[in-house]
Amino acid sequence: MKKLLLVSGLVIGLSACSAPQEPQLTVAPQPTISPVPVAQNKSVAVESRDLRTAQFVAVVDNGRKNVQPIQSTSNVRVVLEDALTRQLNSQGYRVITEGKGKLRLDLLDALVKVEHSVFSHDMITNVQIQLVAETGENKFVKRYTGKSTSEGATSASVEDMEIALNSLLEAVLQDIAQDKQLLTFMNENF
């Protein structure tokens, strides 16, 4: 009897390992690297918050009330904070843990919505990031948004969704890198 239980336990364990995994998206946007520094070694403390209501990064609607949420392979907030830190470093800022000047990234939205029909798909990607730059006396708040749409004659793959989300995140990071109001505030107050 013990041998039978052991064998059945191994079979169940092996079948669980070979069960299909839920798809996940790799979120890895590249920062905008500045060829010329815009700051002279000004220090800034960077932090971030994820304020999204749901933690998935994609929703696939196959019709007939079949909606599948898809998670990210990594923490999107951490990935974006890291990208922003590398972007700031390339601009000449020195990112530190504590300092007079603080820059907070609030992730408000990062979602790919896919609707499949029999022969095509529609994909809508939304990104919204809020930056809060502040010192003890002054504060600068601005939202950066992006939206893209695409259609295809086949089903949308995980790679299609990754490209759509990462491309839009990179476009928003580029907007942040080129925002003269933000750069002026940081250079005058940090």
Side-chain angles (χ1 to χ4, degrees):
M1 188 67 172
K2 286 183 182 179
K3 287 183 183 180
L4 181 60
L5 286 174
L6 180 62
V7 170
S8 64
L10 282 172
V11 170
I12 290 171
L14 289 175
S15 65
C17 291
S18 65
Q21 297 289 322
E22 290 293 322
Q24 291 186 321
L25 296 187
T26 301
V27 179
Q30 295 302 308
T32 299
I33 301 302
S34 177
V36 178
V38 295
Q40 298 302 319
N41 208 26
K42 295 216 177 241
S43 60
V44 58
V46 176
E47 59 185 43
S48 60
R49 300 186 304 182
D50 191 343
L51 302 177
R52 297 175 298 157
T53 55
Q55 297 305 304
F56 46 83
V57 291
V59 176
V60 179
D61 184 352
N62 292 320
R64 298 180 301 275
K65 297 182 181 179
N66 183 10
V67 177
Q68 176 187 17
I70 299 176
Q71 303 288 333
S72 172
T73 57
S74 56
N75 185 319
V76 179
R77 178 195 60 78
V78 172
V79 168
L80 285 173
E81 183 178 320
D82 179 58
L84 181 63
T85 297
R86 289 185 289 151
Q87 187 166 297
L88 290 168
N89 284 332
S90 79
Q91 291 177 310
Y93 292 98
R94 189 169 38 94
V95 178
I96 57 176
T97 53
E98 288 290 325
K100 172 187 165 190
K102 292 183 171 65
L103 183 63
R104 188 183 74 229
L105 180 150
D106 294 335
L107 178 59
L108 305 175
D109 192 14
L111 184 65
V112 180
K113 294 179 185 175
V114 181
E115 289 189 20
H116 282 286
S117 64
V118 177
F119 299 110
S120 66
H121 74 269
D122 293 323
M123 190 162 39
I124 300 170
T125 308
N126 287 300
V127 168
Q128 187 173 36
I129 292 173
Q130 176 175 273
L131 285 186
V132 180
E134 61 185 323
T135 61
E137 311 82 43
N138 301 316
K139 190 175 199 177
F140 176 88
V141 180
K142 190 166 183 180
R143 287 189 181 185
Y144 302 86
T145 59
K147 181 177 183 174
S148 69
T149 59
S150 65
E151 298 174 357
T154 60
S155 295
S157 67
V158 168
E159 291 78 20
D160 293 335
M161 291 180 255
E162 287 175 347
I163 289 168
L165 184 56
N166 285 316
S167 296
L168 196 55
L169 286 169
E170 288 172 4
V172 170
L173 285 169
Q174 184 175 15
D175 287 347
I176 292 169
Q178 296 172 349
D179 187 337
K180 295 194 183 322
Q181 289 178 317
L182 174 65
L183 296 174
T184 300
F185 177 87
M186 290 173 66
N187 284 332
E188 290 177 356
N189 294 284
F190 288 5

